[in-house]
Structures are given as structure tokens and as C-alpha cells.
Amino acid sequence: MVPVNYYIILSAILFTLGALGVLVRRNPLIMFMSIELMLNAANLAMVAFSSVNHSFSGQIFVFFVIAVAAAEVAVGLALIVQIFKSKHTINVDDVNSLKG
Amino acid sequence: MHLSETISSGFLFLAPWLVFLPLIGLLVNIVFGGRMSENLVGGIASAFSGAAFAVSVLLAYSVSLAHGETLRWTLAEWIHIGDVSLDWTFRADSLSTTMMLVVSGVGTLIHIYAIGYMHEDVRFKNDPARFRRFFVFLNLFIAAMMILVSGDSYLMLFVGWEGVGLCSFLLIGFWYEMDTLARPSWSNSKAAVKAFVANRVGDFGFLIASFIMFWAFGSFQFDAVFAKAPEIQTGVILAITLFFLVGVAGKSAQIPLYVWLPDAMAGPTPVSALIHAATMVTAGVYLVTRSAPLYSSVPEAQNIVALVGAVTALFAATIAVGQYDIKKVLAYSTISQLGFMVAAVGMGAYVAGMFHLVTHAFFKALLFLAAGSVILGMERGHHHLAHGHGGHHGETFDPGDMRNMGGLRKTMPVTFWVYMIGTLALAGIAPFAGFWSKDEILLDASHHSQAVYWLLTIAAFCTAFYMGRQIWMVFFGEARHEAAAHAEESPKVMTVPLMILAALSLLGGALNLPFDGFHNLGHWLGHTLGEVEALGLNLQVAGISTALALLAILISWLIYGRKPLAKNQSDPLESFGLLFKGMNRKWWVDELYQFLVITPYVKISHFLADVIDWRFWHDWFHETVLLGAYNWASAIGLNVYADQKGIDAFANWLGAATQRLSAATRKVQNGFVRSYALSVFLGVVVILGYLLLKP
Amino acid sequence: MNFFTEPLTLLTFFPLLGVLLLLFIPGGQKNALRWTALAVSLITFVISLWVFFLSGLYDASNPDLQLVARHPWIQVAGWNIEYHLAADGLSILLILLTTLLTPISILSTWTAVEERVKEFMVFFLLLETGMLGVFVAQDLFLFYIFWEFTLVPMYFLIGIWGGPRRIYAALKFFLYTMAGSILMLLAILWLGIQGGTFSVPQLIEQGGIPANIQWWLFIAFAAAFAIKVPMWPLHSWLPDAHVEAPTAGSVILAGVLLKLGTYGFVRFNIPLFPEATLKAAPWIALLATIGIIYGAAVSYAQTDIKKLVAYSSVSHLGFVMLGLFALNPEGLAGAILQMINHGISTGALFLLVGMIYEQTHTREFKVYGGLWKLMPVFGTLYLIVSLSSMGLPGLNGFVGEFTILLGAWGAGQSGVFYWGGVWFAAISALGVIMAAIYILYMFQKMFMGPQGEVVDEVKKHGHSLRDLNWREIAVIAPLILLIFWIGLYPAPFFDLMAPSVNKLAETFSAAALALR
């Protein structure tokens, strides 16, 4: 059986990759994929702990996360489409009209 | 129902059809009438009215089978709440069936006549499409009148009472966009509104009477009320009967509410005949007769009713003398004759009143319809001229003005002869119908009250005079207008009903001759009203009235017949000066009402609306006082003393401080998603670092 | 929540489902929006019929509150606020009137409302929920929420789709009603805290409010309701609101919203504060009588059709108030029926005025005249509705007015009106004459007489006046049918309310006797 630490390390790596992706990329699609990566990193950690602790709550939580992720993507993609319609670009740096 | 179940009720189940049949006729004409010929439309309306007459006959037969017992037929319940229990119950007794027969019988004849009359009328007024509407209204009237006479309670009577008022409004305003001379005007519609409102004033009296009645008697049903009458204080009954009198004055055109009836002549002539002479206006007489047990128990009320009737009879008769319009003369004559009937029922001579009601329905309908025939004859003559010479278009021509007529007996012989019969009946010359009925009233009056008797006798004298004047002016002498010279006789569809009515006017007296064994009507009505001692022929009373009538006709001949009026000659009576002017101007009653009632009402309502409600209450109080007070309170009361020095200063400082702070921090909001995300991560790192490194 | 055990919840909130549905339809698809709103309101109407007649859940012969839905709601700090819905004979007809008038009004906006259709329909359905909620709420707090809630959609209906002075009228309507409601809110809080419950039936059962406090509570409630009715002299907002409101808004305003006031009196004031009611009866009757005469006189002097009808409402609702405070079965039942009648007749009148306004864009009498010839169907329907409004026997108005006046006369005789006696009924009966004057004047000026300028005016714009089309006839037909039905055979309507009315009147017959 694979020790739980391995999962945690993999999860941490994935999360860091995701976080970096969100921070450095300009394309919102990529940013979404990075966010997905972070979410799934968390999912991995929770599933791992769930199996260690013989408790279902971690797995149940994962389902919620997946559902929320799906909803988030749906809303996010719709937003991107609308932004593209009005600005003719999806570069997030060009979308800064909320500047203070 | 209770009583009638025990006796054979005959054709009673047909009672509701009195109302339904005319309504069906009306609906048929509304739905299909647009595609039918005029004769068919009129024929359907007449047929359904005739069917109602057939039902009336069957009901009368049923009543006679039941030996005069009252028959009732409940159709449905109406208002049942609290102590009120009102049903749609039809009542057939000798009184109501008499009314039914008159209404539907005369009504049907007038329907038939109207087919011919309206055919020409709608063409003279350039709107043939309105032909159908006339018969719809006419059928509606028959239905409403049937509700009135067949109802078993005061409330159901009231439904018909207002229903006929509505029909009267609709039919007076039938040519609503013109005046009686077909010029664009508001006058016809004004006459219609006047009639409805005057009737409503009467209805107000009826309503009050019914409220008092309900809380005293606990019922609106005729027999229940009459049964309880002996237990009730006479004061209460006096109040009820006097408030009913207000209703009677409105509907039966008595002083002081008669003013609508002369204006009602704006309606087409069949309407004047049906509604404003033969049937609707007699509703008040019917009401008093129906309430006989109430009126009989309070002599004070009876005296007042009789006096109102007698004064009206004389007053209206004098006005009739001074009129030039052929229909106006008849209108005032109707008011006068209604006064005779009201006086009769007021004296408790119910049979005499009802007898006169019936004969009057015959001869006055005859006179009106014949007058309509005269007017159409004049129209035809005028039309003929207008097409023949072409020069008459601009001139307004009044086909109803008697000063334009003259010599019509030659051009319109049938109309002339029936008009003569009607005139003799109205003037009270034996053996025509009017003689017998009027004589019966005068005879009763001579027993009861000398004042009433003499008022009525003088009124009878005037009656004969103005009818004589009319006959000489219209039918004798030479034509005073070319239209009269070219007048043409009316078609058969009009003259045949005239001849039937003439026959009835001639023979109608046979209903109740003052000889033993001939008191048929009295005996028949006695089933309902209680048997009264029938009076014989009093030679003195009959002699005086006949002599006076003949004298009046003689005088009218001396003035108008011996030396007929020439063209544009003024009326010889004008030499009487103010007296004739008063008669001609209707004793200025309309002007008096205008001054006393209408102008003040208009002024008051405008004052209330414009000054009180709008300028004072809406604008001044709400806009100036309330809004001003609010503004004042917020502007001065708060601002100066508290706001500017205390709260305001603090708020200003707070605002300035916030502005400075946000100016400093706004740079953080650079609008780049990345930098927001970075700050989130930095925040996470800081929190995590704190948690991990926490001692 | 089980809708079959709580049908009133379903009924009240069904229009909200419709609102949800409308949100999914794009604003540009006007016809889809209209049909959806119409369908939702029609289904609501069917539901109301089902609830009261077909489901067998409602027993009309039972005088008590039925179809109860009751759950604890806000229970903090000793406050016992509940979600409590129920209906009885006092409210059932008003509920049905609301569900009937809403689809009719929506159908009347087909061509009249072309801008912001989506918002219009949303507000309309929200309004329906609010009105139904007022009629079914049996918890004072819940009632107050619905009561205030109806203001919001109406405010926007007047303020967005109204005439030129719409903002002014909407604000006046809102502020006027709010001002009265504040007092009522205080009274509600007092009752709820003192009585330990906000439930109306429970408070009535407990009773025992001292007479002097009853008096103040009565006045506080009456302030809110009297403004809504509106009773003379608090009617100043009504002409403004009616003149500026769009047709459908006027219909609902006259048809249902004014009835919230009269309903409030019969549901809350009279049963909650019986002693104060007896004390107030002559004063309310006095105001009602003045309102009848004043409203009728002022109506006659108007030159704007809508304003005339608005003032006539003051007169008609005076009759309702007179009947309510006669406190006998005749008066109460007549008043409740007259609420329905006024909703039908005045609603129909506003609908008809709206139909002609759509073509002529003016409501001034002086340009009208002779329309009957050009528009025979319209003229005839207008005549029927006018006659119903002036109380012609055989039509609905008479049954209501007659029973009210009869009841008021009886109340005067039995001493309910103290010093007023039968005078109130007698003077109010004069209103019958005055109603004939202003109604016939209106009819004459519009439909009789020579052809008015408006005909040429319309022609100048390239149109000609047309008679009603089938949609317009369909809008008005149900109301015409009801006018005849109630006039000729009102028994089913009286039967629905009679048990509850008799029960309410009984408490007063005993009280009145004790007083004498």
C-alpha cells in the first residue's frame, strides 16, 4: 500500500503548479484549467485522508467539490464568452475596468 | 305556490314566458337581425310580443278558471340574506292580468304599426341601419313592463319599474344625435337623460317606501304586507304611501315630476304611444291600485293622492291648450288624463281608475299613432316637394307643427276618421269609451270631494277644447303649408292597427257600463280589489260633463273651425296675452326647475369639485400645507440648528477622511486578476505562516 | 410543503412561479411574455376555482376559517409570529375576484403595453401574490407584510407605465398608504406582544381588550384602511393615481386594491374591536354618507372620464362602508357583495375607457359625442356597465346597493347609528339619484349627441375609429356575464358568504341589545 505521504506530496505539487498557473498565465481558459488543477489537488488529498481514516466524509466532500467545480466552469465560460463579445479579447490584463 | 297548488293552476306555468318571449325576440333580432329584411325584423318582434299577448290571455283564462284566486309561480330565488327573502315570483290575478292584456295587446298593435312607421322614419333621418335597434328596444320594453305588472312583490315590481325607465331613456334618445327636427343637436339626448333622472327621483321615493315597509312588515310580498297592514301604525303606512306617491309622480308624470313627459316626445311616435301614453306611465296608477289595502287604511294619503291627481289633470290640460306641436298637445293631454286616473285611485275608486287606464290606453295610443301618421304624411308631402321643386332643402320644416297643417281630412281620410274617433273618446262624448270611464271617475269624485270633482270637470272641459282646437287646425280649413297640401295617406301596415284601436276606442266602454249586469271589469277586478258597490249612471254628472264637452267643442269651432287659420296667422287665443303665453310656455315650470334645481346643482357640484376638492383639498392642503410643512421641517427645523453645526460638520469630516483613505488605497485595485490572485496567495501564506510558526 | 393539504399556499404563491418562469424569457419576446403571464394568471384562476369548489376541501356552509395552513415562523423574544393562511365567507369572493381580474387585466394590456413588457408582467404577477396574501393571511404580522408588499409593484406600475404625471402620482399613492400603515403597524405590535400571538382568530377568541385601548387600536387600524378605501376626506390620492395609472393598473387599483381597505375593516376592525366598532359606527356611517353624496356631486363636475370614475369610486365605497357598519346581515352581506360589484363594474368601466383611450388618446368629454353610431357594440357594453354602476335593478349594482341601504335603514331603526338613525340610509339613497345624473351625463356626452371632434382628430392621424375587436370583447365579456348573473341570480354569491356574515352579525345583535 502506498503511504499516504506520497499522495500528499503529489497533491502539494499539483496545487503549486495550479497556483503558479493562475498567477502567471494571461489566458482565462488556462487559468481555469489551473484552478481545476488546484481543486483536484485538494480532492486527491481528501480522498487519501478518507481512505486512511476509514471515513466517507472526505469522499462526500469531493463530490461537492466536483459539482461546484462544474458549476463554476459553466458560469466562468459564460462570462468569458460575454467578455469576448463586448471586448473582442479574452486577455485578462485587458479586462481591468474595475480599476480603482 | 301554496294556494295555487290546491286549485287548478291552468296555464300558470307559462307566466315566466311573459318575460322570456319578448327577450327571445330581442335576442333573435340582435343576433340574426343584421342579415334580415326590415319586415322580418319587425315581424319577429311583433310575433314575440303577440305571443306574450297570447300568454296573457291564457293566464287571464286560468285566473277565471280559478274563480279569481291569485295564482303564483316561483321561477327562482333572488335575494336571500338575513331576514330578506325575495324570489322571482310571478303573480296572476285579475288586476295583473288586466294590465298584461293591455300592455301586450296595445303593445303588439304598436309593434305592427311601427314596422310601417319606422321604415319611413329611418329613411327620413338617413340611418336605415337603426331600424333593428328600435325593435330590440321595443321588445325589451315589453319584457320590462311584464315584470312590472306580473311581479308578486314590491321589489320585483321595482325591477320592472326601473326597467321601463331604462327603455324609456333608450327610446326617447333613439335619435340621440339630433333634435326633433333632425338637426344635429344635444336636445333629444337631453330629453332622454331628463326622463331617466326625473324617474330616478321618483324611484328614490319608492326605495325609501320599501325600506320603511320592510322593517315594519318584514316582507315585500304583496299579500304578506296587506295581511299585516291592520297591525301597523297608520303613521308608518302614511309614510309608506306618501313615499310611494313620489314614485308615482315620477313614473306617471304627476306634479311636480311631470316635466320629463312632454320632452319625451323626442322619441319616435310609436314610442310616445306605447310608453308615454298607453302603458309605462300608467305604472303609477297600477302601483296605487295594487297597494289598495295600504291606501285605503289611511284617508289622509288618499286625499293627498286625489288632490295631486286632480290638480295635475287641470294644470296639464291648460298647458295643452297653448301648444302648437301636435304631439305636445297629446303629451299634456296624457299628463292630464293620468291625473284623472291618479285622482280616481286616490279616492279609492280603483275600478274607475283602472277602467280609465284601459280605455285611455286604447284611445290615446290611437291618437298618438294617428298623429304619427299625420307627421309622416307631412314628411311625405315635404319630401315630395323637396324632390319636385328642389328649393326646400335649406329650410327647416317642422312636420309636427299644427300651424303648418290644415285640410288634411282630404289627403289623409283614414287617419282623419280614426283621429276623430280618438278625439271624441278623449273628449268624453257618449258612447265612445272615454265617456264611460271618465264619467265613472267624475261620479266617484262627486261623492268624495267637491274640490276634486270641480277640478276634474274643468279639466274635462279643457280637454274637449284643446282636442277640438287640434281637429280644426289639423284636418279642416285649407293647407297652410305646401307639404300639407301634398300630404299622403299612410300604408296599410299602419292604418290597420289604427282601425283596430279605433274600434276599441269606440267599443271599449262596454267593459264596464254603468248598468246593472254590465259591470264586467268591476266584477273581474273585484276578485283582487274586493267587491265594491257599482255605481249606476248619474244623469246629473253625465249631463254636466257632456254638456261642457259639447260646449268646449262648440267654442273651439267658433274660434278655429268657423274661420280657419290662414297661413302665418297667429293663434286667436294670443289676444288673451299673458294667459295664453303662460299656457304656451308651460307656465314657466321648466325655467323654474332650471333656476331652482338644475343650476344650483351644477354650481354646487362644480364648486365642490373645483374649489373644495381640487384647489383647497388637493392643491392647497396636500401640496402646500402637508408638503410645505414637510419641506419646512426638514429644511429649517433640522438643517440650520442641528445639521449644519453638529451633524453636518461631523459628516463632512467623515466624508473627507474616507475620501483620503480611499485615495490612498485605491491603487491596490489595479484591475488585474493576477494581482488579486497574488494577494490572495500572499494572504494564505501569511496566515499559514502565522499558524505554523505560532508558539 | 404539501400543496394538497395547503391549497392556499399553492394559490397564493403560484403567481410567483410564473414570475420565475418569466425571468427565463428574453425581454424582446413580447408575445411569449404576454402569453406566459396570461397562462399563469389563468391557471391561478383555475386553481382558485378548484380550491373552493371542485376539491371538496372547502365547505361553504361552515362559517369558520377553513383550508388552514399554519406553521411557526418567527419565534424570537417571546414573539409568536406564524405563517397562517385561511379563508372563509368574508374573503372567498374577494379571492375569486382577484384571480379573475388579473388575467382580464393582463389580456387588456396586449396592445396597450409595448415597452418593458417583461417587467410589467413580473410586477403584475407579484401584485397578484400580494393581494391574495392579504386576503388569506390570518396572522397580523404576515398580513402586514403582504399589505405593504402590494404597494411596491403598484408603485412601479404607476411610476413606469403611467401618464405624464406618473412619478408624482406614484409617490403620492405610496406615501399616503404608508403613512396610514405606520399607525397600523404600531397597533399590530401592541396586539401581538400583549396578546402573546399575532393570530387573528386567536386574538378574537381571547378578546378582553379594555374598551379605551380598543378605541385607539380601532383608530390605528382604521387609519390604514380608511386611506386605502378611500373614505372621505382621505381620497385625495385616488384621482391622481387613477388618472395616471395605465388601464390595467386602474382596473386592479379600483377592482381589488381599494377592497383591501374595506376587507381590512370587516376582517380586523369589526371582529377584533367590537366595542369600539359599536362606538364608531355612527361616525363611520357619517363619513360614508358624506362620501356618497360628495363623491357623486364631484363626479358630475369632472371633465376627464377617468377622474369621473375615480370619484364615483369614492361614492360607491361609501355605500360599502355604510353597509359594513350597519352590522346586520343585510348590511354586511350587501357590503361584501358590493365590493365584488364595484370591482366588476368599475373594473369594466376602466377597461372600456382604456379601449377608447387607445384609439383616441384623450379622456376629455368635450371632444367626444355621438360615438354610439360609430361603435355600436362598444356603446352598448358601455351602457350596460354604466347602468350596473348606477344600480339598475336586474344588474349587479342594485342587489348590493339595495341590501346595503336596507341594512343601513334597519341599523338606523335598531339604534346602531345612535343619533344618525335612518337619516344615513335616507340621505345615502339620494346617491341613487345623483349616480344616475353623473353616469347618464357621462354616457350622453360620450355616445349621444352630434359627432364629436375626436372622430375627425383620429382621422387626421390616418386611422378611423373602429368598434371592439374580438380580444377586447373577450376581455369584457366575463364581467358583463357576471353583471347579469349577480343581478338576476345572486343566490350562489350570498350563499358563499352567508354563514360567516351571520356569525359576525350575531355577535353584534347581542351586543347591540345589551347596549340598549
Side-chain angles (χ1 to χ4, degrees):
Chain A
M1 181 161 165
V2 188
V4 73
N5 279 358
Y6 291 14
Y7 292 102
I8 303 301
I9 291 166
L10 178 60
S11 161
I13 292 168
L14 285 174
F15 190 87
T16 313
L17 285 174
L20 282 174
V22 170
L23 287 179
V24 301
R25 299 306 291 259
R26 304 284 188 277
N27 189 327
L29 288 175
I30 307 288
M31 289 167 75
F32 266 117
M33 287 158 73
S34 304
I35 290 171
E36 285 298 306
L37 209 55
M38 288 157 72
L39 288 170
N40 283 317
N43 287 349
L44 181 63
M46 280 190 280
V47 173
F49 286 124
S50 166
S51 84
V52 170
N53 291 344
H54 300 291
S55 151
F56 280 113
S57 42
Q59 297 184 23
I60 290 167
F61 223 91
V62 167
F63 280 114
F64 274 101
V65 172
I66 291 171
V68 169
E72 176 217 326
V73 169
V75 175
L77 287 177
L79 281 172
I80 289 168
V81 170
Q82 289 297 328
I83 288 170
F84 183 76
K85 270 187 184 165
S86 64
K87 300 237 169 196
H88 300 290
T89 175
I90 52 168
N91 188 330
V92 290
D93 280 3
D94 294 338
V95 189
N96 62 348
S97 51
L98 280 178
K99 187 171 63 178
Chain B
M1 281 303 286
H2 319 291
L3 211 79
S4 58
E5 272 159 2
T6 56
I7 40 181
S8 139
S9 54
F11 296 99
L12 188 61
F13 65 93
L14 286 173
W17 290 94
L18 283 173
V19 180
F20 290 157
L21 283 168
L23 285 181
I24 293 171
L26 167 170
L27 288 174
V28 169
N29 272 337
I30 286 181
V31 178
F32 304 108
R35 273 160 282 165
M36 299 192 304
S37 71
E38 284 187 0
N39 284 338
L40 194 54
V41 168
I44 284 172
S46 312
F48 279 98
S49 172
F53 178 69
V55 172
S56 308
V57 171
L58 291 175
L59 285 179
Y61 176 66
S62 307
V63 171
S64 70
L65 275 188
H67 306 291
E69 288 291 353
T70 300
L71 306 176
R72 289 192 195 80
W73 182 266
T74 302
L75 179 66
E77 59 179 74
W78 187 25
I79 301 178
H80 280 246
I81 188 72
D83 301 327
V84 185
S85 64
L86 273 168
D87 290 321
W88 293 109
T89 302
F90 293 86
R91 174 191 182 98
D93 61 14
S94 55
L95 178 60
S96 68
T97 50
T98 308
M99 288 298 289
M100 290 171 202
L101 288 169
V102 172
V103 171
S104 55
V106 176
T108 306
L109 288 175
I110 293 174
H111 269 74
I112 296 168
Y113 169 93
I115 299 174
Y117 184 91
M118 291 312 290
H119 172 80
E120 294 186 49
D121 197 32
V122 292
R123 280 167 181 76
F124 286 131
K125 286 169 179 141
N126 288 324
D127 190 6
R130 220 176 284 194
F131 185 85
R132 169 167 63 129
R133 174 189 291 218
F134 183 82
F135 284 91
V136 169
F137 289 166
L138 224 51
N139 267 354
L140 183 64
F141 171 77
I142 296 286
M145 196 68 202
M146 284 304 180
I147 295 178
L148 197 161
V149 299
S150 67
D152 188 41
S153 67
Y154 280 100
L155 250 277
M156 198 167 148
L157 190 153
F158 188 64
V159 173
W161 185 268
E162 285 234 352
V164 293
L166 166 69
C167 298
S168 164
F169 165 79
L170 292 172
L171 285 162
I172 295 170
F174 186 73
W175 296 109
Y176 47 77
E177 73 273 44
M178 49 183 79
D179 61 9
T180 41
L181 303 182
R183 295 171 299 200
S185 159
W186 289 93
S187 81
N188 280 3
S189 62
K190 267 191 188 140
V193 172
K194 185 178 178 183
F196 210 156
V197 171
N199 267 308
R200 274 247 152 175
V201 176
D203 296 345
F204 164 76
F206 196 115
L207 274 180
I208 299 285
S210 65
F211 298 150
I212 304 176
M213 172 182 285
F214 180 77
W215 292 107
F217 293 85
S219 177
F220 294 111
Q221 205 265 335
F222 291 131
D223 291 338
V225 169
F226 302 151
K228 214 175 167 191
E231 307 163 21
I232 306 291
Q233 292 172 329
T234 48
V236 175
I237 299 181
L238 181 65
I240 293 174
T241 47
L242 288 184
F243 275 112
F244 272 143
L245 178 61
V246 178
V248 171
K251 190 66 57 182
S252 287
Q254 298 297 294
I255 287 173
L257 295 175
Y258 70 89
V259 286
W260 64 270
L261 185 63
D263 290 19
M265 296 303 127
T269 306
V271 173
S272 309
L274 178 60
I275 300 186
H276 305 120
T279 54
M280 183 189 89
V281 287
T282 60
V285 181
Y286 172 72
L287 174 65
V288 179
T289 311
R290 179 51 85 195
S291 313
L294 295 184
Y295 278 93
S296 298
S297 59
V298 273
E300 298 93 329
Q302 284 190 301
N303 289 340
I304 294 173
V305 174
L307 213 57
V308 167
V311 172
T312 307
L314 179 58
F315 186 77
T318 61
I319 297 178
V321 172
Q323 299 304 309
Y324 289 119
D325 188 291
I326 185 169
K327 277 174 77 180
K328 281 273 162 69
V329 173
L330 294 178
Y332 281 102
S333 157
T334 304
I335 299 174
S336 170
Q337 297 301 309
L338 287 166
F340 273 88
M341 295 175 218
V342 170
V345 292
M347 292 179 299
Y350 302 108
V351 173
M354 286 301 293
F355 184 29
H356 197 54
L357 187 157
V358 175
T359 57
H360 177 259
F362 296 152
F363 61 71
K364 192 51 73 62
L366 169 65
L367 282 172
F368 264 114
L369 295 183
S373 172
V374 168
I375 291 170
L376 273 192
M378 294 287 286
E379 285 266 21
R380 287 183 207 111
H382 184 246
H383 201 66
H384 173 79
L385 284 179
H387 281 270
H389 303 280
H392 287 268
H393 283 296
E395 168 203 16
T396 48
F397 165 70
D398 186 351
D401 192 330
M402 296 194 293
R403 285 169 297 189
N404 289 337
M405 300 174 183
L408 287 179
R409 73 178 186 284
K410 284 167 275 183
T411 43
M412 304 184 76
V414 180
T415 306
F416 166 65
W417 280 111
V418 296
Y419 211 99
M420 277 304 285
I421 293 172
T423 301
L424 292 173
L426 175 56
I429 308 292
F432 294 93
F435 167 77
W436 304 107
S437 54
K438 190 182 283 183
D439 194 60
E440 205 172 320
I441 293 175
L442 290 172
L443 186 56
D444 270 302
S446 71
H447 286 289
H448 280 87
S449 154
Q450 287 302 307
V452 172
Y453 171 69
W454 283 109
L455 282 169
L456 292 181
T457 307
I458 300 170
F461 172 79
C462 292
T463 307
F465 178 76
Y466 64 68
M467 286 316 291
R469 172 175 178 262
Q470 197 174 38
I471 288 286
W472 305 124
M473 279 179 88
V474 174
F475 292 101
F476 288 86
E478 292 305 319
R480 284 182 294 276
H481 190 285
E482 288 161 66
H486 293 85
E488 291 164 29
E489 183 56 273
S490 297
K492 283 246 160 47
V493 68
M494 289 166 71
T495 49
V496 169
L498 285 177
M499 289 185 239
I500 298 172
L501 283 169
L504 289 169
S505 304
L506 188 59
L507 306 170
L511 283 175
N512 202 32
L513 293 175
F515 309 112
D516 280 339
F518 289 95
H519 295 287
N520 298 320
L521 188 69
H523 185 69
W524 169 245
L525 290 176
H527 292 307
T528 308
L529 299 169
E531 206 67 52
V532 284
E533 187 197 354
L535 299 168
L537 186 65
N538 182 320
L539 283 177
Q540 188 195 343
V541 172
I544 290 177
S545 71
T546 310
L548 279 176
L550 289 172
L551 179 67
I553 292 173
L554 182 69
I555 295 174
S556 69
W557 178 76
L558 286 174
I559 300 177
Y560 298 98
R562 195 178 45 151
K563 210 171 57 171
L565 287 187
K567 207 168 179 174
N568 294 330
Q569 188 197 342
S570 61
D571 194 299
L573 285 183
E574 278 181 28
S575 55
F576 283 93
L578 204 61
L579 183 67
F580 180 78
K581 196 151 191 209
M583 292 173 170
N584 181 247
R585 299 292 299 278
K586 309 152 194 173
W587 300 115
W588 296 280
V589 173
D590 277 335
E591 286 82 355
L592 186 74
Y593 275 178
Q594 182 75 34
F595 177 71
L596 281 183
V597 183
I598 300 169
T599 314
Y601 184 79
V602 173
K603 279 201 175 137
I604 288 173
S605 69
H606 275 96
F607 176 75
L608 281 178
D610 299 338
V611 180
I612 300 288
D613 197 79
W614 206 251
R615 272 191 261 157
F616 168 71
W617 190 240
H618 181 273
D619 287 348
W620 186 76
F621 187 75
H622 282 87
E623 304 296 300
T624 313
V625 177
L626 282 186
L627 195 64
Y630 182 77
N631 286 339
W632 181 82
S634 56
I636 301 185
L638 296 172
N639 204 356
V640 173
Y641 299 108
D643 244 38
Q644 284 181 352
K645 300 211 171 80
I647 301 170
D648 218 36
F650 175 72
N652 284 345
W653 173 82
L654 200 65
T658 314
Q659 266 183 0
R660 279 196 293 274
L661 186 68
S662 50
T665 49
R666 67 184 282 191
K667 294 193 179 68
V668 178
Q669 302 282 333
N670 59 8
F672 294 122
V673 180
R674 279 176 300 113
S675 68
Y676 297 155
L678 188 63
S679 42
V680 171
F681 277 108
L682 283 178
V684 171
V685 168
V686 169
I687 294 169
L688 276 179
Y690 168 75
L691 288 176
L692 290 174
L693 301 176
K694 190 174 63 171
Chain C
M1 208 167 281
N2 187 346
F3 285 142
F4 292 94
T5 55
E6 292 190 358
L8 286 183
T9 306
L10 170 71
L11 176 63
T12 309
F13 293 102
F14 191 80
L16 275 189
L17 289 180
V19 171
L20 219 57
L21 206 59
L22 285 177
L23 290 178
F24 285 102
I25 302 174
Q29 298 190 17
K30 293 179 186 173
N31 276 329
L33 288 163
R34 288 173 183 139
W35 280 110
T36 313
L38 180 65
V40 168
S41 57
L42 276 177
I43 295 171
T44 315
F45 178 55
V46 172
I47 292 175
S48 65
L49 291 181
W50 173 80
V51 166
F52 291 115
F53 303 115
L54 303 177
S55 66
L57 297 170
Y58 184 87
D59 174 18
S61 60
N62 181 348
D64 298 317
L65 287 164
Q66 296 172 63
L67 301 168
V68 182
R70 192 169 184 180
H71 310 283
W73 183 25
I74 304 175
Q75 314 262 333
V76 286
W79 292 26
N80 186 15
I81 298 171
E82 290 165 297
Y83 173 84
H84 185 180
L85 309 181
D88 66 0
L90 303 179
S91 53
I92 172 171
L93 285 173
L94 288 163
I95 295 170
L96 292 168
L97 178 72
T98 309
T99 55
L100 172 70
L101 279 183
T102 307
I104 287 176
S105 305
I106 288 177
L107 193 59
S108 80
T109 65
W110 230 246
T111 53
V113 174
E114 280 291 345
E115 282 167 34
R116 306 171 87 170
V117 178
K118 184 169 177 173
E119 288 86 342
F120 188 92
M121 296 303 172
V122 166
F123 282 131
F124 226 88
L125 292 179
L126 285 177
L127 187 60
E128 185 175 17
T129 288
M131 296 184 298
L132 289 172
V134 170
F135 290 134
V136 295
Q138 298 300 332
D139 183 277
L140 283 172
F141 202 86
L142 185 66
F143 161 76
Y144 186 78
I145 289 173
F146 280 123
W147 170 268
E148 292 288 308
F149 180 73
T150 55
L151 286 184
V152 181
M154 198 63 210
Y155 172 79
F156 286 111
L157 286 178
I158 299 176
I160 297 178
W161 291 273
R165 276 159 55 87
R166 55 181 179 267
I167 303 289
Y168 166 80
L171 258 178
K172 192 169 181 181
F173 162 74
F174 199 97
L175 288 178
Y176 226 107
T177 324
M178 275 296 265
S181 310
I182 300 295
L183 289 174
M184 180 170 72
L185 181 62
L186 289 177
I188 286 177
L189 292 179
W190 192 95
L191 271 174
I193 293 167
Q194 290 287 314
T197 175
F198 283 87
S199 154
V200 180
Q202 218 166 317
L203 282 168
I204 294 172
E205 209 173 300
Q206 285 174 7
I209 308 168
N212 58 332
I213 295 176
Q214 268 196 26
W215 181 243
W216 292 110
L217 292 173
F218 181 93
I219 289 176
F221 271 84
F225 298 142
I227 286 175
K228 199 79 160 191
V229 170
M231 288 187 72
W232 184 86
L234 304 170
H235 60 275
S236 185
W237 62 271
L238 188 70
D240 283 319
H242 268 313
V243 168
E244 300 304 328
T247 299
S250 282
V251 174
I252 291 294
L253 186 60
V256 184
L257 283 185
L258 304 188
K259 309 306 173 313
L260 300 188
T262 46
Y263 170 77
F265 273 106
V266 67
R267 168 68 73 200
F268 302 104
N269 272 42
I270 295 179
L272 275 173
F273 319 119
E275 278 105 34
T277 299
L278 274 177
K279 198 170 154 195
W283 299 102
I284 299 263
L286 177 69
L287 290 181
T289 308
I290 295 176
I292 292 169
I293 301 298
Y294 180 93
V298 171
S299 293
Y300 173 68
Q302 300 306 318
T303 54
D304 179 304
I305 304 169
K306 261 191 155 181
K307 233 168 168 181
L308 187 149
V309 182
Y311 277 110
S312 81
S313 291
V314 176
S315 184
H316 281 132
L317 288 158
F319 276 108
V320 175
M321 293 305 298
L322 183 70
L324 286 183
F325 280 82
L327 299 172
N328 49 20
E330 292 85 4
L332 283 167
I336 293 174
L337 191 71
Q338 189 65 2
M339 292 184 209
I340 308 300
N341 290 338
H342 179 260
I344 293 169
S345 310
T346 309
L349 219 43
F350 275 122
L351 285 171
L352 290 168
V353 172
M355 288 169 193
I356 188 78
Y357 182 79
E358 254 187 80
Q359 295 192 43
T360 61
H361 302 288
T362 177
R363 294 186 303 259
E364 286 294 320
F365 281 134
K366 61 172 184 280
V367 298
Y368 283 95
L371 285 188
W372 210 353
K373 198 168 183 175
L374 295 169
M375 310 171 76
V377 177
F378 181 67
T380 307
L381 294 180
Y382 205 100
L383 179 68
I384 294 171
V385 174
S386 302
L387 293 171
S388 133
S389 183
M390 69 180 245
L392 189 86
L395 303 180
N396 61 349
F398 174 74
V399 180
E401 269 176 29
F402 180 77
T403 40
I404 285 172
L405 288 172
L406 193 65
W409 191 280
Q413 281 196 350
S414 66
V416 174
F417 291 151
Y418 300 94
W419 38 268
V422 296
W423 285 105
F424 291 140
I427 294 171
S428 301
L430 280 175
V432 171
I433 304 174
M434 297 168 75
I437 294 174
Y438 68 77
I439 291 268
L440 293 176
Y441 172 77
M442 169 169 71
F443 186 79
Q444 186 205 4
K445 288 293 162 199
M446 287 177 74
F447 294 97
M448 305 172 109
Q451 208 172 68
E453 299 161 28
V454 75
V455 180
D456 298 324
E457 201 60 38
V458 170
K459 273 203 187 110
K460 258 186 222 160
H461 293 90
H463 307 287
S464 58
L465 282 179
R466 56 160 179 82
D467 212 338
L468 300 187
N469 60 28
W470 284 108
R471 178 185 61 82
E472 288 167 330
I473 291 175
V475 166
I476 206 77
L479 298 179
I480 300 281
L481 197 72
L482 276 171
I483 283 174
F484 280 108
W485 184 6
I486 299 182
L488 295 171
Y489 190 58
F493 298 87
F494 279 130
D495 289 346
L496 277 176
M497 64 172 116
S500 301
V501 162
N502 287 332
K503 189 183 153 204
L504 185 57
E506 252 167 42
T507 60
F508 284 99
S509 61
L513 283 176
L515 205 122
R516 272 191 293 162

